[in-house]
């Protein structure tokens, strides 16, 4: 009797477990069988939108969603609402390009919690704000047929990488969003009168923001607070913007001007400086009268009226050594991958032959700079021949090294010792390399004629420039 009772309990327990397992399998099948999300999906008609919850039941994540302007049959799409997309919570890449009959009913996307990259082509008929609040990158296209504002972005709370505004439109009302520790802001083809502070993040200073201004005018760059440094600003085909409140900025990480006119800045240090196709510029010193240092790289190209770069004679040479063979890929600078520091070319009124700055640059960097196609074809070969050892400024000599003896007759000892395999070059008065090799703590100079030389020590650390040491061989 006891055995029969126990068997009955065991059977009952087994049946209960079977029931539980069947329920679990049912829900698993709901997710794995019915929640089949497409990797890439194009919606081109109202029917394709309405069919989404049936065709992709339970789908919450889509890598690429394109809501197309064209109907599946080739005409303008007939989408009037996106209600059937309510299950979606994440979109990798989203493009919204709807016909004018869509009135901006984005209720169907209200459950989307995050979008990596959003590209939205707005219509003047839209009234409701875009529903998403968190994106990595956002491209906001103003309508081409009218001037609208950015009220559609009133729900925006966080942008992690970049925001781009295309076409003319008004930066009102001010955005209220935050970002990470850096942000890119691009404004292109906008001629409306705007204030830059209306599209700035609430938690980040200008020292960590990069601005790319292309074919744009009438932007007031008043940040609403004092600015000491700006990470990056590129002005390309963008005259007539107001930089009056930025005149006293002391440092720019990157300053690129292409076919744009600006007045003088008081900055003392620029990381990357590019001046290209600026026909009104005659004297670089008129633009940057207080410039003392260009940290990384310099490019001055295709400026038809530029006559003077004498302000550079007061500047320190680049102090950050680039990776060999890499170009910085901004503007027209370093299209030749072998050029790493300085490129000055195609300035038909510029005489570079007497530039102390370039003489020092050739001594330090050699073939890593290019000067050519300027006035009288004053190319790099002529420039090197005219350079003298007196052109090498004292601040280019590394006082951290002790060299003995100097003057030297044969073996020169350097302390502290350099890392094994350190390359060196010995340069004469004409700027020519007369000896090179590898060293540790000494160099034999016995085969050199008597005279003045510079020894360039190429440090293996890519973040430091070669070090220059003056010597006299007797």
């Amino acid at each position: 009797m006891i055995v029969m009772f126990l068997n009955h309990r065991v059977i009952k327990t087994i049946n209960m477990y079977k029931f539980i397992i069947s329920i679990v399998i049912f829900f698993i099948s709901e997710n794995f069988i019915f929640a089949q999300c497409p990797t890439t999906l194009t919606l081109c008609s109202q029917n394709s939108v309405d069919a989404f919850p049936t065709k992709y039941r339970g789908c919450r994540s889509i890598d690429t969603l394109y809501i197309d302007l064209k109907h599946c049959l080739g005409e303008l799409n007939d989408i009037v609402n996106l209600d059937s997309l309510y299950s979606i919570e994440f979109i990798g890449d989203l493009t919204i390009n709807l016909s004018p009959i869509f009135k901006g009913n984005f209720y169907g996307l209200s459950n989307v919690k995050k979008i990596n990259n959003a590209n939205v082509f707005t219509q003047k008929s839209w009234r409701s704000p875009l529903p998403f609040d968190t994106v990595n990158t956002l491209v906001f296209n103003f309508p081409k047929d009218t001037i609208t504002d950015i009220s559609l972005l009133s729900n925006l709370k966080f942008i992690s990488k970049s925001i781009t505004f295309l076409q003319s439109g008004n930066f009102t009302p001010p955005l209220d969003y935050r970002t990470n520790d850096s942000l890119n802001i691009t404004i292109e083809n906008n001629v409306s009168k705007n204030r830059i502070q209306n599209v700035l993040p609430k938690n980040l200073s200008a020292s960590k923001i990069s601005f790319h201004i292309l074919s744009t005018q009438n932007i007031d760059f008043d940040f609403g607070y004092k600015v000491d440094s700006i990470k990056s600003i590129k002005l390309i085909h963008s005259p007539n913007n107001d930089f009056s409140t930025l005149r006293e900025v002391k440092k720019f990480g990157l300053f690129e001007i292409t076919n744009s006119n600006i007045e003088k800045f008081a900055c003392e240090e620029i990381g990357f400086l590019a001046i290209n196709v600026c026909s009104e510029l005659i004297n670089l010193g008129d633009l940057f009268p207080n410039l003392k240092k260009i940290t990384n790289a310099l490019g001055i190209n295709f400026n038809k009226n530029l006559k003077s770069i004498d302000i550079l004679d007061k500047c320190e040479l680049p102090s950050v050594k680039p990776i060999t063979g890499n170009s910085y890929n901004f503007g027209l600078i370093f299209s030749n991958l072998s050029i790493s520091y300085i490129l000055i070319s195609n300035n038909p009124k510029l005489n570079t032959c007497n530039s102390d700055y370039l003489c020092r640059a050739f001594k330090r960097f050699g073939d890593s700079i290019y000067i050519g196609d300027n006035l009288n074809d004053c190319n790099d070969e002529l420039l090197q021949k005219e350079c003298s050892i007196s052109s090498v400024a004292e601040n280019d000599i590394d006082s951290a090294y002790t060299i003995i003896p100097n003057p030297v007759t044969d073996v020169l000892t350097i302390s502290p010792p350099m890392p094994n395999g350190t390359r060196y070059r010995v340069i004469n008065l004409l700027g020519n390399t007369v000896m090179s090799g590898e060293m540790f703590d000494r160099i034999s100079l016995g085969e050199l004629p008597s005279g003045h030389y510079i020894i360039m020590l190429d440090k293996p650390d890519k973040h430091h420039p070669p070090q220059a040491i003056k010597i006299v061989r007797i």
Side-chain angles (χ1 to χ4, degrees), residues 252-269:
F252 289 87
L254 182 151
F255 204 139
E256 177 180 348
I257 310 168
T258 299
N259 194 21
S260 303
N261 60 297
I262 60 174
E263 298 179 3
K264 68 179 180 179
F265 283 77
C267 61
E268 299 177 356
E269 180 178 343

Side-chain angles (χ1 to χ4, degrees), residues 99-239:
S99 71
I101 67 171
F102 181 82
K103 302 303 180 182
N105 178 8
F106 291 101
Y107 172 76
L109 295 178
S110 58
N111 289 324
V112 175
K113 296 180 175 60
K114 182 180 179 182
I115 299 173
N116 282 344
N117 307 300
N119 187 7
V120 182
F121 294 81
T122 64
Q123 297 286 346
K124 61 183 179 181
S125 60
W126 294 4
R127 296 292 180 266
S128 301
L130 297 168
F132 39 85
D133 60 10
T134 301
V135 296
N136 286 346
T137 66
L138 172 63
V139 179
F140 186 86
N141 297 265
F142 287 104
K144 293 183 178 181
D145 55 352
T146 188
I147 300 297
T148 61
D149 58 26
I150 53 176
S151 58
L152 293 174
L153 297 176
S154 59
N155 288 328
L156 195 60
K157 299 302 179 186
F158 191 86
I159 301 175
S160 62
K161 292 183 179 180
S162 68
I163 183 168
T164 298
F165 299 96
L166 301 180
Q167 308 304 325
S168 291
N170 297 323
F171 293 166
T172 55
L175 297 182
D176 184 11
Y177 72 97
R178 302 175 72 82
T179 186
N180 288 325
D181 56 0
S182 66
L183 182 72
N184 296 322
I185 296 178
T186 298
I187 306 172
E188 184 174 343
N189 293 321
N190 196 331
V191 297
S192 299
K193 189 174 182 179
N194 282 305
R195 302 179 67 185
I196 196 68
Q197 64 177 281
N198 286 352
V199 295
L200 296 178
K202 299 301 182 182
N203 65 323
L204 199 64
S205 68
S207 63
K208 297 183 178 181
I209 301 177
S210 298
F211 298 92
H212 187 180
I213 313 301
L214 176 63
S215 300
T216 290
Q217 302 183 51
N218 304 317
I219 301 294
D220 181 356
F221 275 82
D222 182 358
F223 285 66
Y225 55 86
K226 183 179 179 181
V227 177
D228 294 320
S229 65
I230 293 178
K231 180 179 180 180
S232 169
I233 185 165
K234 296 183 180 183
L235 289 173
I236 301 175
H237 308 298
S238 297

Side-chain angles (χ1 to χ4, degrees), residues 400-402 413-420 422 439-442 457:
Y401 294 97
T402 300
T413 301
I414 300 175
S415 62
M418 302 294 291
N420 277 325
T422 297
M439 52 84 64
F440 173 60
D441 63 348
R442 62 192 61 197
L457 303 176

